[in-house]
Amino acid sequence: MIALFVCHANLNRSPRAAEVFRKLADQKGFDIEVQSAGTDAYFKDSDPQLLGEAFGLDHVTQLTNEILEKSDITVALDDDVKREIETNFQVKPRRIITWGIPDVYSNRRNNFDALYEILNKKLEPLAEE
C-alpha cells in the first residue's frame, strides 16, 4: 500500500505529514510505503545542502501522474491542493482525503510544533484505518 501526502511546494506540510505517518506506521508494524510530493515543487532541482539548511529536507518531489497512479490513498493538505490535483493531472486518485491545513507553517516562522500537533491528531485515525 502507498500513502501519498501532497501540498503545493513539498517543503513544509506534506514532508512533515509523511514523516509523522511513517513513524506511526512503523510503530504499529504496518508495511506501507509513504511518499510526499508538491503540485508545484519549484525547489525540486535545488542543492540538497541548501534544502537541508533552509527546510530540513534532502530532496523535493514534483507530483506526477505516475506518482498519483501508484498511490492507494492521497491526502491533499488543503482544498486548493485537491483542486490542483483534479484540474492539472490526468490520473484521478483512487481515494483522496482533503485536510484543511493552511499553508502557514514553516521553519522560518518557527511554528512546526503546531503543525506536528495537528498532523498527529489527523494521522492517528488514518493509521488505525
Side-chain angles (χ1 to χ4, degrees):
M1 176 174 197
I2 298 174
L4 173 65
F5 296 88
V6 183
C7 67
H8 295 290
N10 194 223
L11 293 172
N12 295 309
R13 296 174 297 161
S14 60
R16 304 311 181 246
E19 171 192 343
V20 171
F21 191 67
R22 194 174 290 115
K23 286 179 185 174
L24 285 170
D26 287 347
Q27 288 172 358
K28 295 182 182 298
F30 296 146
D31 183 24
I32 186 168
E33 184 178 336
V34 183
Q35 300 179 345
S36 70
T39 56
D40 187 20
Y42 42 87
F43 283 107
K44 66 182 176 292
D45 296 322
S46 294
D47 178 347
Q49 183 175 348
L50 168 74
L51 288 172
E53 291 169 3
F55 303 102
L57 303 171
D58 60 2
H59 72 283
V60 173
T61 302
Q62 172 67 50
L63 184 63
T64 64
N65 286 317
E66 292 78 22
I67 293 171
L68 274 173
E69 190 170 58
K70 292 177 183 176
S71 172
D72 295 296
I73 184 168
T74 301
V75 178
L77 276 288
D78 64 40
D79 291 334
D80 289 339
V81 169
K82 182 181 180 192
R83 276 191 290 280
E84 286 182 47
I85 291 170
E86 292 172 344
T87 304
N88 299 331
F89 295 89
Q90 289 73 43
V91 174
K92 301 302 174 211
R94 285 181 215 147
R95 179 173 175 212
I96 189 163
I97 297 171
T98 306
W99 290 345
I101 301 177
D103 195 5
V104 296
Y105 299 97
S106 72
N107 214 13
R108 285 178 286 179
R109 292 182 181 153
N110 198 25
N111 61 358
F112 273 161
D113 287 346
L115 176 61
Y116 282 114
E117 187 175 320
I118 292 167
L119 290 171
N120 275 304
K121 286 179 185 174
K122 295 207 176 261
L123 287 165
E124 279 285 343
L126 187 61
E128 291 301 323
E129 192 178 313

